[in-house]
Amino acid sequence: MTETQAFRETFRRRHCLIPATGYCEWEQIDSRTKQPWRIVPGGEPIFAFAGRWERRDKSDEPIESYTIIVGEANMLSAPIHDRMPVILDQADWNTWLDAADIEAAKALLRPWPTERMRRYQVDRHVGKVKNDDPSLIQPIDTAA
């Protein structure tokens, strides 16, 4: 990823952290059915995803955006999806944000330890933008 023209410059200079209380991945059950899983920190209040930011000044209104960097999935996520957000340990935040040492930043692009997260199934309505309710990220009863 760091070798492509589109990302090379932002990887070298424009790092950011994206705080999150969790994220969802969708497991393909069969050709028509997907089941969402919520993946959350296992004992820590938040995750900090590795990110890049960009600012484009090609119009009257500058556009600022960010991208969450994804990488190889750990053992908890791999049965659901082959990649996951790169999650950074708090001890590595300054190394990531500084990014003066590209090799040190690249070394942080590794799977998050499985034992530091947990997962559970959530309601399929979580994937519809019009739905905005805290119950959507609560565990569902999988015995039903």
Side-chain angles (χ1 to χ4, degrees):
M1 179 208 42
T2 59
E3 304 309 317
T4 64
Q5 182 66 30
F7 294 114
R8 187 177 300 127
E9 185 61 26
T10 56
F11 187 83
R12 292 183 186 280
R13 297 188 302 127
R14 301 182 188 118
H15 291 190
C16 64
L17 299 172
I18 297 116
T21 58
Y23 65 97
C24 289
E25 286 290 359
W26 292 77
E27 178 183 23
Q28 189 75 46
I29 304 299
D30 57 40
S31 63
R32 306 182 102 204
T33 310
K34 291 184 177 182
Q35 174 59 54
W37 289 80
R38 180 143 165 90
I39 301 170
V40 297
E44 298 161 57
I46 64 167
F47 288 135
F49 299 147
R52 302 180 311 98
W53 66 271
E54 182 67 59
R55 180 183 176 112
R56 299 198 189 272
D57 293 312
K58 295 185 178 186
S59 65
D60 293 338
E61 281 286 319
I63 299 171
E64 294 181 334
S65 63
Y66 69 91
T67 302
I68 296 171
I69 296 176
V70 296
E72 180 184 347
N74 65 17
M75 297 295 282
L76 184 82
S77 294
I80 302 167
H81 203 282
D82 64 345
R83 63 184 187 273
M84 62 183 275
V86 172
I87 302 167
L88 299 173
D89 191 274
Q90 188 171 357
D92 296 324
W93 292 359
N94 286 336
T95 301
W96 178 253
L97 292 171
D98 178 26
D101 182 345
I102 295 297
E103 292 309 311
K106 284 182 182 180
L108 299 176
L109 304 178
R110 59 185 181 265
W112 186 249
T114 300
E115 64 275 6
R116 294 181 66 187
M117 58 192 333
R118 61 186 185 87
R119 69 178 188 195
Y120 54 86
Q121 293 180 355
V122 294
D123 191 291
R124 289 188 182 119
H125 290 100
V126 74
K128 295 182 178 141
V129 175
K130 69 178 183 174
N131 297 329
D132 185 14
D133 184 283
S135 69
L136 296 172
I137 59 172
Q138 297 303 312
I140 60 170
D141 181 6
T142 57

